[in-house]
Amino acid sequence: MRRPDTARDRPVRSDDLVDEASTARATIDERGIVTGWNEGARKLLGHPDSVVVGRPASRLLADGAAGDLPGPLEPLTRWSGELTLRHRDGRPLRVALLAHHRRTAGGGAEWLLVSPLHRTGPTTADDELVRAAFTQGPCTMAVFDARLLVRWVNTYMEGVVDFGQAQVRGLRVSDVVPGTRGAEIERMMRLVLDTGLPQYLSLPPGHGKAAWSILLAPVLGDDGRMLGVVLSGHDVTVRYEAQRRLARLNEASVRIGSTLDIVRTAQELTDVAAPEFADFAVVDLLPEIHPGGAEPAPGPVPGTVVLRRIAAQSTLDGKPDMVIALGDLAVYPKHSPAAECLAAGRGVLLTVTPEAIAEWERDAPARAARMREFGFHSTIAVPLLARGTTLGVAAFARHRRPEPFEADDLLLAEEITARAAVCIDNAHRYTRQREAALTLQRSLLPQTLPPHPAVRAAGRYLPAGSRAGVGGDWFDVIPLSSARVALVVGDVVGHGFQASAAMGRLRTAVRTLADVELPPDELLTHLDDLVNRLSAETEDEPGAEARTAGDIGATCLYAVYDPVSRRCTLARAGHPPPVLTRPDGSAEYLDLPSGPPLGLGSLPFESREVELAEGSLLSLYTNGLIQAPDRDVDEAVDALRTVLSRPAESLEDLCDAVLTTLVPGRPADDVALLVARTRALDASQVATWDLPAEPAVVARARRYTTDQLVAWGLDEAVFTTELVVSELVTNAIRHAQAPIQLRLIHDRDLICEVSDGSHTAPHLRRARVFDEGGRGLLLVAQLARRWGTRHGPTGKTIWAEQALPDPAR
């Protein structure tokens, strides 16, 4: 900035123009003591800071001025108004104040009071300032009259439309901006005239155009008459592109890695990239990355490299821009983008120049000719890296859209490829281990499913063909407290002994976590953490390749069913959704949030709760049931739904029908199937009482219990149950907080529950001889067959189960 009225036209600093004393400023602490007083305040009231700071601010008020304050100031964060203050010469002075309540650096609070030294009206200098601000404003502005003709545009708008104000004045916006953009803006302007309300418009970028956020507002005269419309626009191209990249990343997270198949995962990567991100996308893997292939060497791959093409996608039908066919091997010289990124271990962004094409032509003339034919002008190559191992290359190119790739595009490509690489690596590990010990696998699976009051269940495990070997599929039925049951099906990445051992670890972990009564989404989160922790612990140890922890990668579906409420809560980690068959025979796939496979640790898991009618059939399975090389997945999905909708004599017969229909021969992958038909407890089998948190209620709780057990015909259980109820209710009153609830459930066992609003977990302790308490939970543990605690969002529940005599005896 320069001062124009000086002979030397010297630069002007902001300090020459901005005077800190141009406004009066003072600070007052919470006690009403003045803590700050600037030169502007001295100019306003004449008091120097030495006689004001440290003294009560009330001394500055003129007589009677306290009545102008708004009352209690504590709830206010700011205040404005006028006060009469006392000048140093004794005269009262009416002052306009603006007060802010703010926090101090030391953690306290204070009031900041500010006031102008001079109160003046608008001046001609203000007119010049306002006119220049509108003309030179940082956003596009245009004013239209009531006929929607241009009357005025600012400098920014002139640059955007590439016309001066004199050239566009008197034209409509559709005249200045032809095409759909101008027509849409004019349509919204008409809406402003018709409604008198502001309208908002977002215009996405076209070819070579920016994205705009536009506000159209009415211009009204003093009499309320509609004078015209004002347009204000902001260039939001950067934000728009960032949102588009985030959307692509989110789409990639959802679409990539839906299966544990190498080729399909790679194809999902290319499908996500083209045509939204690139005009042409391919995935080339090292030759050893295939079913049954060896483990590639860790680290970068320098020099000339041989790759196998396994996936491709193009904006052009038939992919005429592709030279290397799917499944073919190709040699990439060391100066090619693929070889460069593999040697560097990071993505590269290159502009395709005639010189580059000429250099490639010596080693790959067919590829160079195709690039010249279709006009490739920008390319990105990113190595597929997972756990320090190079798997291959993902390449993206543009030849139809004119915009070249930018640095942000390279970051997006690296992020998407990194996620795909983990999925491809998991798939490779899954298919690589074909030989396993079937005895170990079967010994780790439940030999028989235990009977449970909540469901009748049946399961099947079918190992893969002899060439594939035994894998890591498993299923389980886990009894939980309060007659609930957990159903779980999982699929460990890989085959062979390692997969079976890993499956055993995960199955044990699931049972342990289920015993802690975690909700399905939290259980999968802990299981995912466990997989990552086991992998990290063995990653750098000698002989880590021979261990299973470092190779763990899995999918899992976990469901908890409550026969009292008939509610089922489910969550999945990269696993196929279950099939629900209703009592009327209709079958559907439950729409569950699709979490990532275990071991990625990138996205949270979500659960869904559904209500099941009594007699509903829930079918859980692994992807081997619906995926086969010679069968379309969609056809298999429909076939599974059809066979599950047919009636069967028993659940065992239903399992046989499913496997016969979908796996008529030897499966290419392991198959685990678990079907469970739900039961519901009648309302007469459950009794619930809300109890006040007072000692006298213990006797009432015992009376409620006795009356209910007599009504159920369980007279023999009255004495024991009274003791259990008495101890649990007493503990809740003494050591917990409201609300307190007592619930009895009568099924094959008698279940007693006491819930409270505390999250503190109880524990057994050894009471000394003269202690008056401390034996309650020990007594409960002795009287009940099993007991425990589960936590919920509002507190905890202590439960105890008692075995009842077999009515058949």
Side-chain angles (χ1 to χ4, degrees):
M1 179 177 178
R2 295 181 181 275
R3 190 191 304 274
D5 56 348
T6 58
R8 298 175 61 184
D9 196 22
R10 67 177 181 84
V12 179
R13 297 174 53 84
S14 62
D15 292 343
D16 298 334
L17 301 177
V18 180
D19 183 4
E20 289 296 329
S22 60
T23 59
R25 298 167 63 92
T27 54
I28 302 174
D29 64 16
E30 295 287 86
R31 300 170 301 158
I33 303 300
V34 178
T35 57
W37 190 262
N38 78 337
E39 177 62 18
R42 186 199 64 77
K43 291 180 179 179
L44 181 66
L45 296 180
H47 302 286
D49 59 351
S50 59
V51 300
V52 177
V53 174
R55 292 176 171 80
S58 58
R59 295 185 178 183
L60 299 174
L61 295 174
D63 295 339
D68 295 333
L69 291 172
L73 296 177
E74 289 80 4
L76 300 178
T77 58
R78 60 188 304 179
W79 174 82
S80 65
E82 292 189 351
L83 287 178
T84 304
L85 304 180
R86 189 179 304 281
H87 195 273
R88 184 182 183 184
D89 59 14
R91 59 185 172 87
L93 183 63
R94 195 70 172 171
V95 176
L97 290 176
L98 178 61
H100 304 273
H101 195 240
R102 64 182 188 181
R103 306 300 298 181
T104 64
E110 68 180 7
W111 283 93
L112 169 66
L113 282 71
V114 296
S115 177
L117 294 184
H118 306 287
R119 306 172 66 181
T120 61
T123 66
T124 55
D126 294 336
D127 294 339
E128 180 185 2
L129 175 64
V130 171
R131 184 169 56 255
F134 274 92
T135 301
Q136 304 168 28
C139 64
T140 61
M141 293 192 66
V143 177
F144 300 81
D145 61 20
R147 296 177 298 167
L148 298 185
L149 300 178
V150 178
R151 304 309 306 162
W152 176 87
V153 295
N154 70 346
T155 304
Y156 195 165
M157 178 65 84
E158 289 179 333
V160 169
V161 300
D162 203 22
F163 291 115
Q165 183 167 196
Q167 296 170 289
V168 300
R169 183 178 289 116
L171 298 178
R172 293 163 51 186
V173 67
S174 56
D175 300 326
V176 181
V177 184
T180 56
R181 284 193 165 199
E184 179 64 12
I185 296 173
E186 188 164 293
R187 185 184 70 81
M188 299 298 288
M189 293 171 66
R190 291 177 181 272
L191 196 58
V192 173
L193 293 179
D194 293 339
T195 64
L197 299 175
Q199 301 294 328
Y200 298 88
L201 180 62
S202 295
L203 296 177
H207 289 293
K209 297 180 180 178
W212 291 95
S213 176
I214 296 175
L215 169 62
L216 301 165
V219 179
L220 305 178
D222 295 338
D223 56 359
R225 182 167 46 88
M226 180 71 70
L227 299 180
V229 178
V230 60
L231 179 151
S232 175
H234 292 265
D235 186 343
V236 293
T237 305
V238 174
R239 185 179 67 186
Y240 180 87
E241 291 299 330
Q243 290 174 342
R244 281 215 304 179
R245 292 187 181 97
L246 184 60
R248 291 191 186 111
L249 184 59
N250 182 65
E251 181 187 12
S253 302
V254 174
R255 293 177 57 184
I256 298 175
S258 62
T259 68
L260 292 172
D261 179 85
I262 295 175
V263 175
R264 179 159 183 175
T265 302
Q267 189 61 49
E268 288 169 345
L269 170 59
T270 59
D271 291 345
V272 167
E276 293 298 325
F277 176 69
D279 297 320
F280 181 65
V282 296
V283 173
D284 297 335
L285 298 183
L286 295 173
E288 55 266 37
I289 306 299
H290 66 88
E295 184 74 11
V301 180
T304 300
V305 63
V306 178
L307 300 173
R308 184 188 306 276
R309 178 147 301 171
I310 65 166
Q313 188 56 273
S314 172
T315 57
L316 304 177
D317 294 337
K319 306 183 185 70
D321 43 357
M322 182 172 69
V323 176
I324 304 168
L326 296 179
D328 288 354
L329 293 172
V331 177
Y332 290 87
K334 62 180 181 179
H335 56 264
S336 65
E340 284 186 18
C341 77
L342 288 178
R346 55 178 174 79
V348 296
L349 190 162
L350 297 173
T351 299
V352 180
T353 62
E355 293 77 15
I357 295 179
E359 186 176 3
W360 296 337
E361 197 164 17
R362 292 195 299 268
D363 301 303
R367 270 178 271 170
R370 199 65 57 91
M371 296 182 71
R372 188 179 290 112
E373 175 186 355
F374 287 92
F376 284 79
H377 62 84
S378 186
T379 184
I380 288 176
V382 181
L384 287 157
L385 304 175
R387 300 181 178 92
T389 300
T390 301
L391 306 176
V393 176
F396 313 92
R398 286 181 178 175
H399 55 68
R400 282 296 175 265
R401 67 184 70 193
E403 304 88 359
F405 288 120
E406 299 176 352
D408 288 343
D409 295 317
L410 175 60
L411 293 177
L412 175 62
E414 289 177 332
E415 181 68 22
I416 294 176
T417 303
R419 298 188 181 210
V422 173
C423 297
I424 291 175
D425 184 58
N426 286 339
H428 175 59
R429 291 170 182 268
Y430 173 76
T431 57
R432 173 172 166 262
Q433 302 300 322
R434 292 292 182 183
E435 299 300 326
L438 183 59
T439 302
L440 173 62
Q441 173 74 358
R442 293 195 182 280
S443 68
L444 294 174
L445 288 172
Q447 302 303 307
T448 59
L449 296 178
H452 196 277
V455 296
R456 286 186 293 113
R460 290 286 189 277
Y461 170 74
L462 193 62
S466 58
R467 292 187 61 187
V470 180
D473 295 15
W474 91 94
F475 61 88
D476 212 346
V477 177
I478 308 172
L480 302 177
S481 63
S482 306
R484 299 173 307 127
V485 65
L487 308 173
V488 58
V489 166
D491 184 356
V492 174
V493 175
H495 288 80
F497 181 86
Q498 293 184 353
S500 299
M503 179 273 285
R505 286 191 174 191
L506 292 183
R507 179 172 178 262
T508 302
V510 170
R511 279 190 160 265
T512 303
L513 294 171
D515 193 53
V516 187
E517 306 276 1
L518 293 177
D521 53 342
E522 293 186 24
L523 183 141
L524 291 181
T525 300
H526 284 275
L527 199 62
D528 184 59
D529 292 340
L530 172 65
V531 170
N532 285 314
R533 187 164 59 252
L534 290 174
S535 299
E537 289 174 357
T538 60
E539 190 176 29
D540 299 323
E541 295 180 6
E545 291 299 321
R547 300 187 179 96
T548 61
D551 294 331
I552 291 179
T555 66
C556 185
L557 172 61
Y558 185 79
V560 175
Y561 174 66
D562 186 348
V564 176
S565 64
R566 295 187 291 108
R567 308 290 295 182
C568 184
T569 306
L570 309 95
R572 59 177 176 145
H575 205 82
V579 180
L580 171 63
T581 306
R582 304 190 184 278
D584 61 3
S586 61
E588 63 174 327
Y589 287 88
L590 288 179
D591 184 15
L592 303 182
S594 178
L598 298 173
L600 298 186
S602 56
L603 297 173
F605 299 100
E606 300 179 34
S607 61
R608 181 190 172 194
E609 186 177 78
V610 295
E611 184 173 343
L612 304 180
E614 183 174 11
S616 297
L617 182 72
L618 201 59
S619 302
L620 289 68
Y621 55 91
T622 55
N623 59 6
L625 185 65
I626 58 174
Q627 292 182 359
D630 57 348
R631 184 183 59 219
D632 183 71
V633 174
D634 294 335
E635 293 177 0
V637 167
D638 293 337
L640 177 60
R641 182 169 51 226
T642 300
V643 70
L644 289 175
S645 64
R646 297 170 183 165
E649 291 293 331
S650 66
L651 294 181
E652 300 291 339
D653 292 340
L654 180 61
C655 289
D656 293 338
V658 170
L659 295 181
T660 301
T661 302
L662 279 91
V663 194
R666 307 196 72 175
D669 195 6
D670 297 60
V671 175
L673 172 66
L674 176 63
V675 295
R677 193 173 300 280
T678 63
R679 295 180 61 242
L681 295 183
D682 190 77
S684 62
Q685 296 177 267
V686 182
T688 306
W689 300 275
D690 293 322
L691 305 177
E694 53 188 40
V697 81
V698 178
R700 196 188 316 164
R702 289 197 297 266
R703 186 170 64 255
Y704 291 156
T705 301
T706 301
D707 294 344
Q708 187 62 58
L709 294 184
V710 171
W712 282 338
L714 302 177
D715 302 65
E716 296 181 1
V718 168
F719 178 75
T720 300
T721 309
E722 275 191 344
L723 289 177
V724 172
V725 168
S726 179
E727 295 300 335
L728 294 184
V729 173
T730 300
N731 277 351
I733 294 173
R734 287 183 176 180
H735 307 296
Q737 63 191 34
I740 299 175
Q741 186 183 80
L742 168 64
R743 184 168 76 159
L744 299 178
I745 302 174
H746 175 211
D747 194 61
R748 297 177 184 175
D749 299 320
L750 179 61
I751 302 170
C752 172
E753 296 182 347
V754 174
S755 303
D756 57 62
S758 171
H759 289 278
T760 303
H763 62 277
L764 292 172
R765 67 181 182 89
R766 183 179 298 277
R768 291 172 293 186
V769 176
F770 299 104
D771 286 350
E772 295 183 2
R775 301 174 180 85
L777 288 181
L778 181 62
L779 182 61
V780 171
Q782 295 297 319
L783 295 175
R785 182 173 64 181
R786 65 188 189 117
W787 74 282
T789 305
R790 68 172 181 269
H791 291 268
T794 60
K796 70 176 181 296
T797 297
I798 305 178
W799 53 270
E801 291 184 4
Q802 302 175 60
L804 296 177
D806 189 346
R809 293 181 179 178

